Amino acid sequence: MHHAHPLTVDIAVVLPAGIRDEAARINRLLVGHSRDRTICFGPDAVPHITLAMAAVPEGDLAGISLESLGPHFPLDITVTGISTVTTGSGQRVAGFDIAIDGPLLALHRAAAKALGEVAVDEEPVLILRDGEEDEPSMAAYARDFLRARYSPHITLGRGEASERDTTLPLPYRFTAEGAVLCRVGTGGACRQVLREMYI
């Protein structure tokens, strides 16, 4: 009997318009410079802050509840800067850095608990656009996420970016009011929203 690979899923903070629009603007600049569309925001890929990611069997998706996250919202979040890191695949990726404080950490733990109840230690599959190649390093990142140190950020795109590339005054504070459960594509993109939770 064929064993289906688990899916790559993400519980993520939904961003309000101001920070979401600025992330999309910087993403367009990065895509324009690099010509790399692996991380390209649009209808099927929205900027977000990952709270927890995991490999989950498709049959267990219905058992993932976002209700435990409700008491953590509204949540004040602070963008502290922009940095560029090298990923496991050797790519340079820019992102907004997020301050880790008690309330955000508590929300992360609630999301990790929700996914941890159904997560499996197997290589998950990503949602791929037509013509996209698989990204094993992203699948491995998702599989191992719940065991790694939490490092909250908003991915902006492939390439180099710094604080001079944003129009936002840093540090920049905003209030989040909800979260989504989504299936993940290349670059960690939220490609298919499965469930939403708003206050």
Side-chain angles (χ1 to χ4, degrees):
M1 185 168 124
H2 176 69
H3 173 70
H5 287 281
L7 307 179
T8 310
V9 298
D10 187 354
I11 295 178
V13 171
V14 177
L15 303 178
I19 186 71
R20 185 180 66 237
D21 293 347
E22 178 64 357
R25 186 190 69 78
I26 296 173
N27 175 254
R28 287 191 298 272
L29 293 175
L30 290 169
V31 170
H33 292 312
S34 69
R35 303 293 178 208
D36 186 329
R37 300 184 62 79
T38 305
I39 302 169
C40 184
F41 297 147
D44 68 341
V46 295
H48 61 278
I49 301 170
T50 292
L51 293 168
M53 200 180 284
V56 176
E58 187 169 7
D60 291 335
L61 291 179
I64 301 171
S65 172
L66 301 182
E67 295 309 308
S68 65
L69 309 185
H72 297 275
F73 290 98
L75 179 67
D76 290 332
I77 295 174
T78 302
V79 175
T80 58
I82 297 179
S83 62
T84 302
V85 300
T86 302
T87 67
S89 62
Q91 298 287 334
R92 297 287 284 166
V93 176
F96 278 128
D97 300 317
I98 303 295
I100 304 179
D101 58 16
L104 178 58
L105 201 52
L107 177 58
H108 154 68
R109 288 176 179 148
K113 184 175 186 296
L115 284 188
E117 292 172 353
V118 292
V120 294
D121 190 18
E122 297 177 37
E123 199 85 352
V125 295
L126 304 170
I127 291 184
L128 300 178
R129 294 183 179 123
D130 287 342
E132 277 186 334
E133 294 183 10
D134 207 2
E135 190 178 12
S137 62
M138 186 67 236
Y141 176 79
R143 180 197 62 211
D144 299 336
F145 190 96
L146 297 179
R147 294 188 292 266
R149 178 179 170 272
Y150 184 49
S151 179
H153 60 277
I154 302 168
T155 299
L156 297 172
R158 288 203 172 158
E160 302 277 340
S162 68
E163 294 181 10
R164 66 179 176 273
D165 295 307
T166 183
T167 61
L168 298 178
L170 296 174
Y172 178 79
R173 197 167 172 88
F174 64 91
T175 301
E177 297 187 341
V180 293
L181 172 70
C182 58
R183 286 191 59 193
V184 176
T186 56
C190 281
R191 289 270 170 88
Q192 178 188 12
V193 174
L194 304 173
R195 205 160 300 133
E196 300 174 321
M197 190 285 306
Y198 293 97
I199 58 168

